[in-house]
Amino acid sequence: MKIAVFVSGGGTNLQAIIDNTKDGILKDVEIVLVLSSSKDAYALERAANNGIPSAVVSRKDFDSIEAWDDAVVSAVKASGAELVVLAGYLSLLGPKIVSEYSNRIINIHPALIPSFCGAGMYGIRPHKAALAKGVKVSGATVHFVNENYDEGPILLQKAVEVLPDDTPESLQKRIMKECEWKLLPEAIRLIADGRVVIENNICRIR
Ligand code: GAR
């Protein structure tokens, strides 16, 4: 299966996918495009280091959402990707890419949706919010993407304990290591194997 991975920053989730295509559970998966919302994303270097084609398609370089959305769709179509994976991608996708790739876009979110998600909840912020609320477990969620932030059908979730002396940074690190870097490759594996069915907005794994 050919996939496009969308990024905005450091790209550790991209790295987890790359590693799994080399000697892990994604040997038959090919990353045909890394699309970044920012030219400064370190994820672009990870793509270059692994010979993966990349593109920067930044909202601020376009006059309208429509023109930017068209450019995103064109890049994905040209790559031949069958699945789009948002791996730390921080822009809200435009309506055209969401409808043309309906049920073929997944996102990883660093909290247990429906907690600590939605507009403005990205990066370190869900972890700060989780600690401020005093929750005893948090984790990560892989879900399909619709036109709203963090709202589509949930595919996989994994939880970790929140420890009494956690900081947002320590919690973020544990969730990345124990949840995100495993969950996202696992979600791609399930989709590549045709094991995911969506009925009435609910994901089932066959
Ligand atoms: C990850 O923790 C990811 O879950 C989060 O951004 C980080 C990106 O790290 N995504 C969101 O907050 C989306 N709402 P990475 O660039 O090292 O993969």
Side-chain angles (χ1 to χ4, degrees), residues 8-9 18 45 50 58 99 109 114 116 131 135 149 165 175 196:
S8 295
I18 293 171
E45 268 183 56
N50 289 278
S58 191
S99 72
H109 182 72
F116 315 121
L131 291 182
V135 293
Y149 280 113
D165 56 353
I175 288 175
V196 180

Side-chain angles (χ1 to χ4, degrees), residues 2-206:
K2 293 180 176 178
I3 67 170
V5 182
F6 284 21
V7 296
S8 295
T12 62
N13 279 287
L14 168 66
Q15 191 65 52
I17 300 168
I18 293 171
D19 293 347
N20 274 285
T21 60
K22 286 184 176 164
D23 54 8
I25 59 171
L26 299 178
K27 282 206 181 82
D28 56 344
V29 169
E30 185 188 356
I31 306 172
V32 289
L33 172 67
V34 168
L35 186 147
S36 178
S37 62
S38 157
K39 66 174 177 32
D40 300 321
Y42 182 70
L44 289 167
E45 268 183 56
R46 296 183 193 269
N49 291 341
N50 289 278
I52 301 168
S54 66
V56 177
V57 186
S58 191
R59 170 69 188 89
K60 63 175 167 38
D61 295 337
F62 294 84
D63 291 338
S64 65
I65 288 185
E66 290 74 22
W68 165 68
D69 200 6
D70 280 344
V72 172
V73 171
S74 298
V76 176
K77 280 195 174 157
S79 76
E82 298 145 88
L83 176 73
V84 173
V85 178
L86 309 187
Y89 182 71
L90 301 183
S91 298
L92 184 65
L93 289 177
K96 188 171 174 184
I97 183 81
V98 171
S99 72
E100 293 213 6
Y101 286 81
S102 170
N103 293 343
R104 288 190 292 153
I105 309 175
I106 57 172
N107 176 48
I108 180 108
H109 182 72
L112 296 172
I113 290 175
S115 292
F116 315 121
C117 62
M121 277 292 175
Y122 60 84
I124 198 75
R125 294 182 186 191
H127 308 297
K128 283 186 175 162
L131 291 182
K133 189 68 189 173
V135 293
K136 305 304 176 224
V137 291
S138 191
T141 303
V142 177
H143 65 94
F144 284 89
V145 170
N146 66 16
E147 58 287 350
N148 299 313
Y149 280 113
D150 305 327
E151 207 190 69
I154 291 171
L155 174 52
L156 292 175
Q157 291 188 302
K158 193 166 190 294
V160 293
E161 253 183 79
V162 177
L163 304 177
D165 56 353
D166 260 329
T167 61
E169 290 74 19
S170 69
L171 183 58
Q172 178 183 47
K173 207 181 238 178
R174 183 164 349 99
I175 288 175
M176 283 181 141
K177 203 170 159 203
E178 292 183 24
C179 305
E180 296 189 44
W181 300 340
K182 294 176 183 164
L183 222 48
L184 197 50
E186 192 184 329
I188 297 167
R189 176 76 267 143
L190 289 170
I191 294 168
D193 289 344
R195 293 184 57 199
V196 180
V197 188
I198 304 173
E199 283 165 358
N200 301 323
N201 236 27
I202 300 289
C203 276
R204 295 193 197 292
I205 299 168
R206 294 192 288 207

